[in-house]
Amino acid sequence: MARTHMKDVRARVAVGAAAAAVAATIWGVTTVVDRGHDTRHQNVSRQSDDPGKGADAADPAAPGNPVGKVPDGIAHASESGGDAVNITIDDGPDPTWTPKVLAVLKKYDAKAVFCMIGPQAKDHPDLVKKVVADGHRLCDHTLDHNTAMDHKPFTYQQQQILDAKKMIEEAAGGGAKVEYYRAPGGAFTPESRALAAANGMRPLGWNIDSKDFSKPGAAAIVNTVKSELGNGPTVLFHDGGGNRAQTVEALDQVLAWLKDQGRPTGFPVVTGPSA
């Protein structure tokens, strides 16, 4: 019985090693990716078991982080540190709402990361160029915004991420780069994080979901942001996916409040730790 058990163990180890070798070949890296917790829906607030909070998150040469690329830990922290707040805008660009969001950001000299859907960027290159020209940063939010993509094969995730990145960068022109990757609904996997990092995109989480997508009213959106800002610096808003009038109004009020509080806006870390 003991011999049979040991054979089973050796067989499982061999299978695991083979799978790791295949994964390393697919991703073009020589290290085994962290098989940490599935981070879907865990990036809304700081989680102690977030795989992005280990030492690997700050070390591009650590396992899962190919040398010369960015860490694969999910970023939340601000490059500006201190009381800086990261504004992130998802699901655009949209010809109606993105210009209005840009106008509000300009009004307060605020910066943001725009997490764009690939086909949306392809259809509205003028807006992508405007986002870059105004000093904001670009984020890959996949081709189809499939919130169940963490249950899809790696080849599907690869296409969703890399094809969207190409569309966004081609729309931006001028050598502009996509610096972040945000999984739809927070549906990250260790594989998708490693893929994004190997292609120069830091996985991007959030600490405060403004709930603007459900259109609860501008006042409710503002109250959510104010009450949850203690969770961390990165706030999630939307400029796509429907009527975003409440978002525009709420963003104006939030930025005015941050200004009164003496809190600047910043960008999420690309190469630094995730916390």
Side-chain angles (χ1 to χ4, degrees), residues 3 14 17 31 56 68 78 125 130 178 193 212 223 232-233 246 261:
R3 291 179 182 176
T31 51
D56 289 357
S78 179
K130 176 63 173 172
V178 174
R193 291 191 289 108
D212 65 328
N223 287 337
Q246 293 180 11
Q261 298 292 310

Side-chain angles (χ1 to χ4, degrees), residues 1-14:
M1 195 63 117
R3 291 179 182 176
T4 301
H5 175 70
M6 288 305 298
K7 287 181 180 179
D8 290 343
V9 170
R10 284 194 291 269
R12 286 195 294 270
V13 170

Side-chain angles (χ1 to χ4, degrees), residues 59-258:
D59 182 5
N65 302 324
V67 175
K69 298 302 182 180
V70 301
D72 64 8
I74 298 175
H76 301 88
S78 179
E79 288 181 348
S80 300
D83 290 330
V85 175
N86 304 321
I87 304 296
T88 64
I89 315 289
D90 283 19
D91 296 358
D94 180 275
T96 299
W97 303 110
T98 302
K100 295 180 185 298
V101 168
L102 286 170
V104 172
L105 291 168
K106 187 172 184 178
K107 175 180 176 181
Y108 294 97
D109 193 27
K111 299 304 178 186
V113 175
F114 283 77
C115 300
M116 298 184 174
I117 306 295
Q120 288 290 108
K122 183 177 180 179
D123 289 346
H124 304 289
D126 55 324
L127 294 178
V128 183
K129 290 178 173 63
K130 176 63 173 172
V131 165
V132 174
D134 282 4
H136 307 295
R137 291 185 184 177
L138 301 173
C139 173
D140 179 339
H141 205 34
T142 73
L143 290 177
D144 299 320
H145 199 275
N146 184 347
T147 57
M149 67 180 290
D150 53 336
H151 299 295
K152 296 290 187 179
F154 176 72
T155 52
Y156 174 88
Q157 298 180 51
Q158 186 178 44
Q159 180 183 25
Q160 286 285 313
I161 295 168
L162 297 186
D163 286 4
K165 177 179 186 288
K166 182 179 179 182
M167 288 180 181
I168 297 167
E169 290 183 344
E170 287 181 349
K177 297 298 181 183
V178 174
E179 298 186 63
Y180 306 93
Y181 164 64
R182 172 172 278 167
F188 291 99
T189 64
E191 294 86 353
S192 67
R193 291 191 289 108
L195 175 69
N199 285 273
M201 297 181 291
R202 181 70 185 264
L204 177 59
W206 64 85
N207 304 107
I208 305 103
D209 182 352
S210 70
K211 306 293 194 302
D212 65 328
F213 195 83
S214 61
K215 296 184 279 192
I221 297 169
V222 173
N223 287 337
T224 296
V225 175
K226 288 181 177 181
S227 64
E228 296 186 10
L229 202 52
N231 292 340
T234 301
V235 188
L236 170 63
F237 292 102
H238 296 82
D239 63 342
N243 187 315
R244 302 269 71 92
Q246 293 180 11
T247 299
V248 174
E249 182 181 350
L251 181 61
D252 191 303
Q253 294 181 34
V254 166
L255 291 176
W257 177 75
L258 290 174

